[in-house]
Amino acid sequence: MAPSSVVVTIDKSTNISLVEVSDSDSSVFLEKQKTASTKQFSWMLLLKAHKILSFFPWLAIGFSKTLISVKKRIALADSGRDEVQYKERIIYRFIRAFLAISIVALIVEFVAYFQNWDLHFIHEFNPTEVLGLFHWSYMAWISFRVDYVAPSITMLSQFCVVLFMIQSLDRFILGIGCFWIKFKNIKPVIDGEDYDIEDASTFPMVLVQIPMCNEREVYQQSIASACQLDWPKDRILIQVLDDSSDELLQILIRNEVNSWREKGVNIIYRHRFIRTGYKAGNLHSAMSCDYVKNYEFVAILDADFQPNPDFLQLTVPHFKGKPDVGLVQARWSFVNKDENLLTRLQNINLCFHFEVEQQVNSHFLSFFGFNGTAGVWRIQALEESGGWLERTTVEDMDIAVRAHLNGWKFIYLNDVKVLCELPESYEAYKKQQHRWHSGPMQLFRLCLPAILKSKISKWKKANLIFLFFLLRKLILPFYSFTLFCVILPLTMFIPEAELPIWVICYVPVTMSILNILPAPKAFPFLMPYLLFENTMSVTKFNAMVSGLFQLGSAYEWVVTKKTGRSSESDLLAFAERESKSFSEDKIQRRLSESGLEMLGKLKEQEAPIEPKKKNRIYRKELALAFLLLTAATRSLLSAHGIHFYFLLFQGLSFLVVGLDLIGEQVA
C-alpha cells in the first residue's frame, strides 16, 4: 500500500467500505471546490449589482413621472382665487421673508464651506487673519450670532420644548386612563328596566333634527336613516332643517320628506327664509317651535350621518334614573376611512379622539366637547344653558361648555357607532380644520369670564381653562408650528442653538405611536402620520391666531363637501325602498301644470353638470416646503444625521400637500 494512502475499514463483513484518497487527488478536489466557490461568489455579486443598477432606472422613471405630474399640477391648479388673500396674510409674508433670508444665508454658508474657513472659535478671531471684507463680515456675523442671537433662540426653543413635554405628558396620562378603562372593562350602565315594547307610552318623546345646507349628495340617505330608527312612531318627530340656497334642491328634499310622511313617518320639513347664524341659527330656529315643549330629548344628526335603527334604543335609556345627565354622545365611524391616504390619516386622529380623549374625559370628569352630531340632548339642559348661540363657529363646543358650567354631566358611548364621511380632498379638510381650531379660541375669549364666575369646583375650572382650552386648543398648534417649522430650520443656520435629537425624533415618534394605538391597522402609516401632523400645524396655528385675535377668517363657515358614500347595508335599504317607493305619477298628481315644468327641471338637476373642479396649489405650504428643504441642505454642511433626514422628509411632506397631491385627485 502506498504511504500516501488512507484505508478505512468497517468490521462488519457484509458492509465493508474502503476509501483511498491520494494527496494529489485531494489537492485537485480542493482546488475545484475553491474555483466553484469563487464563481458562485462572483455570480452573487453580479446579481446584487444587477438589482442595484435596475433600481436606478426605476427611480429615474418615478422621479420623472413625479416631475411631470408636478408640472401639470402647477399648470392646471386653481390658485388665482386665493392669491390676493395669501398676499394679505401676515403668516405667509413672514414665511416668505424667512425663506428669502434662508436662501441668502445658505449661499453664504456654501462659500464659507468651500473656502475651508475654520469657524468653530471665530468669536476669538485675530484681525490679522482676515482674508478680505467678505471674510471679515462673516466672522463678525458669527461673533454677533454667538453672543446675541443664539441665546434668544435657545430660550425660545427651550420654552417650546417645555410646552411640548407638557402636552406629551397630557397625552401619556390620557393613554394610561384609556388603558385603565379597558383593563377594568368600564362601560356606562343603564339604570332601571328597559322600556315596555308593548306599551309605547313608556318611551319618552324624542325629537330628531337633521340640519343640512345644500347637501345634494347625502340628503336622501340621511333622511332614510332617520326614518328607519326603531322607536314608537307616535313618540318621535323628525325635523329636516333645510338651509339650502338652491330652490330646486329645496323641492327635492321637500318631496323626499313628503314621500316618507306618506309611509306613516312623523316627519316635517322646515326651511328658513332668513338664514343667519349657520348651523346654530338653524337649530335655534327649530327649537323655538311650540310643539318642541312636548318632547323630552332631541337627537342631532348631521346630513352625512347614518345611524343604525337601534341608535335611540342604545342612547336614550342612559338618561333613565340620571336627572343630572344632559348629553349622551355616540362615536363616529367612517365609511370611507380607506379611500385614500388623507382619510387614513384622519381616521388615526379621530380614533384617538374618540377612543382616548372622549372616553377618558367622560369617565373621570363627566365632561367632554360635544361633537355636534350623533348625540342626544336633554332638552331641559339645552334650555337652562341658554340654547344654541350664534356667536362662534363651534356651536357644539359652546353649548357643551355652558351646560358643564350649569352642572350637567355627559356620557360617552364608545360602543355605539354612527356611520359618516371623512373629507376626501385636502381643500375640504383644511377648511374643516380651520373652523375647528379658530372657533375654540373665539369661545375661550367669550367664556373665560363665565368660567371664572361659575359655581363649579376649582379643579373643574382649572381643567376647562388649562387643559381643555389652553393646552389642547392653543398650546398644541403653537408649539407644533413654532418648534418644527420655525425654530428647527432656524437652528440649522444658528448651530449654537441646535435642538437635541430626542426633541425632533424620539419623543415625537413615541407620541405618534401612542396616538396610533387605537387604530392598530394604521401602524404602517406611522411616519406619514407624524409628518402630516406637523404639516397641518401651519393651518391650525393660523386658525388659532385668527380665532384668538378675532381676525376675519375666524368667522368663515364652509360646509364640508360630501361625496354621498354609503355602506352596503345602506345601499340595500335604498334599493328596497326604491322598489316599494312612490312612482313619479304620484309626484305629477301632486303638482300643477306649472309644477310639471318644474319636475322636468328637477330631473335635469338630479345629475347636475358642475364646472370641472381642479386641484389647487397652497402657497403657504409650498413656501414652508422650500424653507425646510433649504435648511436640510444647510444641515448637510454640518453633517447632521437625524436633523437632515427630518427636515428633508418634512419638507417633502409640505411639498406634497402644497401641490395638493394628497387626498382626492381631480385634475
Side-chain angles (χ1 to χ4, degrees):
M1 182 178 295
S4 59
S5 301
V6 177
V7 179
V8 179
T9 306
I10 299 177
D11 293 338
K12 293 183 179 180
S13 58
T14 57
N15 190 9
I16 299 175
S17 176
L18 298 177
V19 179
E20 182 176 347
V21 181
S22 64
D23 290 340
S24 59
D25 292 340
S26 63
S27 61
V28 171
F29 175 75
L30 293 174
E31 187 68 26
K32 288 182 179 180
Q33 187 178 25
K34 185 182 298 183
T35 304
S37 300
T38 305
K39 289 182 179 180
Q40 290 176 355
F41 181 71
S42 301
W43 278 110
M44 183 181 68
L45 290 179
L46 288 174
L47 288 174
K48 289 187 176 181
H50 179 265
K51 290 181 179 180
I52 294 174
L53 292 175
S54 63
F55 171 76
F56 288 101
W58 175 85
L59 184 63
I61 293 173
F63 185 70
S64 63
K65 288 183 177 180
T66 303
L67 288 180
I68 292 172
S69 63
V70 168
K71 183 178 179 180
K72 182 179 178 182
R73 176 56 45 79
I74 295 174
L76 299 177
D78 185 12
S79 60
R81 56 179 173 175
D82 282 343
E83 188 169 354
V84 176
Q85 294 181 9
Y86 271 107
K87 288 181 179 179
E88 294 295 328
R89 292 181 180 175
I90 298 176
I91 295 179
Y92 175 64
R93 286 185 290 180
F94 166 76
I95 296 172
R96 194 169 58 178
F98 191 8
L99 174 61
I101 295 173
S102 299
I103 293 175
V104 173
L106 180 63
I107 295 173
V108 173
E109 293 289 347
F110 265 115
V111 174
Y113 179 78
F114 287 107
Q115 291 292 331
N116 295 320
W117 292 343
D118 186 9
L119 306 175
H120 293 291
F121 302 99
I122 203 66
H123 57 285
E124 300 176 356
F125 71 91
N126 187 348
T128 60
E129 299 177 357
V130 176
L131 304 178
L133 179 62
F134 180 77
H135 189 195
W136 180 87
S137 301
Y138 188 67
M139 292 167 67
W141 154 246
I142 296 297
S143 179
F144 176 79
R145 184 183 76 187
V146 171
D147 294 336
Y148 300 102
V149 179
S152 301
I153 300 300
T154 302
M155 289 180 60
L156 179 60
S157 64
Q158 289 175 349
F159 175 69
C160 290
V161 168
V162 170
L163 297 180
F164 177 38
M165 295 307 299
I166 293 174
Q167 197 272 337
S168 300
L169 180 62
D170 174 60
R171 288 291 177 104
F172 182 71
I173 293 174
L174 287 173
I176 293 177
C178 182
F179 173 78
W180 176 260
I181 292 173
K182 295 291 184 183
F183 179 74
K184 292 292 186 177
N185 195 25
I186 301 173
K187 296 181 181 180
V189 295
I190 299 174
D191 295 339
E193 299 179 354
D194 295 337
Y195 299 118
D196 188 356
I197 300 177
E198 298 180 356
D199 185 5
S201 62
T202 61
F203 288 77
M205 298 288 286
V206 177
L207 182 67
V208 179
Q209 294 179 332
I210 311 176
M212 59 178 63
C213 181
N214 297 322
E215 310 277 5
R216 179 183 293 273
E217 296 81 7
V218 295
Y219 75 90
Q220 286 182 314
Q221 65 192 45
S222 63
I223 294 175
S225 298
C227 291
Q228 294 170 4
L229 289 172
D230 185 11
W231 203 256
K233 300 300 181 184
D234 59 340
R235 312 293 291 179
I236 185 174
L237 172 64
I238 300 172
Q239 286 181 317
V240 178
L241 311 177
D242 181 25
D243 260 5
S244 301
S245 57
D246 187 344
E247 294 183 359
L248 295 176
L249 180 57
Q250 295 172 23
I251 297 176
L252 286 173
I253 298 174
R254 187 181 293 111
N255 286 335
E256 183 73 13
V257 171
N258 291 336
S259 70
W260 283 102
R261 187 184 297 116
E262 289 182 354
K263 297 178 181 180
V265 177
N266 193 11
I267 183 173
I268 61 173
Y269 173 87
R270 278 182 55 85
H271 177 76
R272 294 191 300 162
F273 291 100
I274 302 177
R275 298 186 296 274
T276 59
Y278 303 112
K279 181 180 176 182
N282 197 0
L283 294 172
H284 177 75
S285 174
M287 293 299 293
S288 64
C289 297
D290 293 336
Y291 54 78
V292 172
K293 63 184 179 182
N294 299 324
Y295 293 84
E296 187 177 357
F297 304 106
V298 55
I300 301 174
L301 300 168
D302 281 355
D304 60 316
F305 279 71
Q306 308 163 43
N308 291 327
D310 60 353
F311 172 72
L312 294 179
Q313 298 276 7
L314 297 175
T315 54
V316 175
H318 284 275
F319 290 98
K320 294 177 61 177
K322 303 170 185 175
D324 57 346
V325 172
L327 168 67
V328 175
Q329 172 73 57
R331 178 174 178 167
W332 297 1
S333 179
F334 309 105
V335 71
N336 61 337
K337 62 183 179 181
D338 298 324
E339 183 64 25
N340 55 45
L341 178 60
L342 178 61
T343 58
R344 292 176 186 271
L345 299 180
Q346 292 178 69
N347 181 59
I348 295 173
N349 249 344
L350 290 171
C351 281
F352 181 85
H353 169 69
F354 285 106
E355 186 85 17
V356 180
E357 291 181 336
Q358 297 292 74
Q359 191 167 207
V360 171
N361 289 327
S362 172
H363 176 70
F364 292 101
L365 301 174
S366 297
F367 166 73
F368 50 85
F370 174 45
N371 294 117
T373 179
V376 182
W377 276 94
R378 189 188 296 272
I379 294 180
Q380 180 185 355
L382 289 177
E383 293 175 345
E384 291 184 358
S385 303
W388 299 103
L389 299 181
E390 306 169 11
R391 56 183 183 172
T392 70
T393 57
V394 284
E395 75 293 327
D396 45 8
M397 185 181 295
D398 189 357
I399 186 63
V401 170
R402 286 185 281 117
H404 180 58
L405 295 180
N406 284 334
W408 292 97
K409 295 181 179 180
F410 302 163
I411 293 177
Y412 170 71
L413 304 177
N414 193 57
D415 295 332
V416 181
K417 301 179 181 180
V418 180
L419 276 178
C420 62
E421 289 186 20
L422 290 166
E424 295 184 9
S425 68
Y426 179 69
E427 180 182 8
Y429 178 64
K430 183 176 181 178
K431 291 178 179 178
Q432 181 196 68
Q433 292 300 303
H434 185 277
R435 176 165 57 88
W436 285 5
H437 287 82
S438 64
M441 289 298 96
Q442 300 175 34
L443 183 61
F444 179 64
R445 288 169 54 99
L446 297 170
C447 283
L448 183 58
I451 295 174
L452 296 175
K453 295 177 183 178
S454 65
K455 298 180 180 180
I456 61 176
S457 64
K458 293 181 179 180
W459 157 245
K460 291 184 178 180
K461 290 181 181 180
N463 173 68
L464 267 178
I465 295 174
F466 296 108
L467 292 182
F468 186 76
F469 278 113
L470 291 182
L471 182 60
R472 298 167 188 166
K473 303 298 188 297
L474 188 148
I475 290 177
L476 176 59
F478 170 77
Y479 86 74
S480 293
F481 174 73
T482 306
L483 188 62
F484 296 111
C485 299
V486 177
I487 294 178
L488 178 59
L490 187 61
T491 56
M492 294 299 99
F493 298 95
I494 307 176
E496 295 81 8
E498 180 181 315
L499 291 173
I501 293 179
W502 61 268
V503 172
I504 64 174
C505 180
Y506 302 141
V507 176
V509 170
T510 303
M511 290 299 102
S512 296
I513 293 175
L514 181 62
N515 287 3
I516 214 169
L517 283 177
K521 293 183 179 179
F523 260 98
F525 302 96
L526 175 64
M527 294 312 298
Y529 169 73
L530 172 60
L531 297 173
F532 182 70
E533 281 300 290
N534 290 335
T535 304
M536 285 303 300
S537 65
V538 61
T539 297
K540 297 176 181 179
F541 178 80
N542 186 34
M544 181 270 293
V545 171
S546 65
L548 188 62
F549 297 103
Q550 301 293 291
L551 303 180
S553 60
Y555 296 96
E556 292 179 357
W557 179 293
V558 180
V559 177
T560 305
K561 182 66 176 176
K562 315 295 193 313
T563 59
R565 299 188 185 277
S566 302
S567 62
E568 183 179 356
S569 60
D570 297 317
L571 294 174
L572 293 175
F574 284 127
E576 182 181 357
R577 181 173 67 86
E578 288 297 326
S579 64
K580 299 179 181 179
S581 179
F582 62 94
S583 62
E584 286 189 355
D585 294 336
K586 290 185 179 181
I587 300 178
Q588 294 174 356
R589 286 196 296 269
R590 281 202 300 265
L591 298 174
S592 60
E593 292 183 1
S594 61
L596 290 175
E597 297 179 1
M598 182 64 70
L599 178 62
K601 294 181 180 179
L602 289 178
K603 292 181 179 178
E604 297 177 0
Q605 291 292 322
E606 287 285 355
I609 300 176
E610 298 180 355
K612 186 177 180 181
K613 296 188 298 182
K614 295 180 180 180
N615 288 97
R616 299 171 53 191
I617 286 181
Y618 299 95
R619 301 186 178 212
K620 195 183 303 180
E621 284 79 359
L622 282 180
L624 276 169
F626 294 130
L627 171 63
L628 293 173
L629 292 176
T630 302
T633 306
R634 171 62 183 86
S635 70
L636 282 176
L637 303 181
S638 302
H640 287 140
I642 298 296
H643 295 74
F644 166 73
Y645 289 113
F646 181 88
L647 288 166
L648 174 64
F649 289 112
Q650 191 63 69
L652 293 176
S653 176
F654 270 103
L655 185 64
V656 168
V657 172
L659 294 173
D660 202 5
L661 295 173
I662 188 173
E664 181 185 27
Q665 300 298 302
V666 295

